[in-house]
Amino acid sequence: MKIEEVVDRIGNRFSSVVVSARRARDIQGYYAHLGQGIGKFIPPQVHTYARKPLTIAMEEIVEGKVVLGSAEDSEESEDPETPEL
């Protein structure tokens, strides 16, 4: 995976960094609360050998599992399994 693939998927470098960082933070939160039964965080959506949350987040973006949405789109989200950032 190359960073250019993430930028191509999102549209520009700034948005790519923001989306990747937010999703990585969610993935880190999922692993931090894994044994507590708190269902607030969505688990990683790809099968990977990567261990770092940022790498996992970028792989999700490249595979189309994470989409960039606006604030209005998040209110009308039909698929709760696809994280929108």
Side-chain angles (χ1 to χ4, degrees), residues 43-57:
Q45 301 295 306
V46 293
H47 296 287
T48 181
Y49 292 110
R51 305 190 106 212
K52 296 184 179 181
L54 185 58
T55 304
I56 297 169

Side-chain angles (χ1 to χ4, degrees), residues 6 15-25 54 57-58 61 85:
V6 176
S15 295
S16 300
V17 169
V18 171
V19 170
S20 299
R22 285 184 182 174
R23 181 61 185 141
R25 207 172 310 127
L54 185 58
M58 288 182 174
I61 292 169
L85 304 174

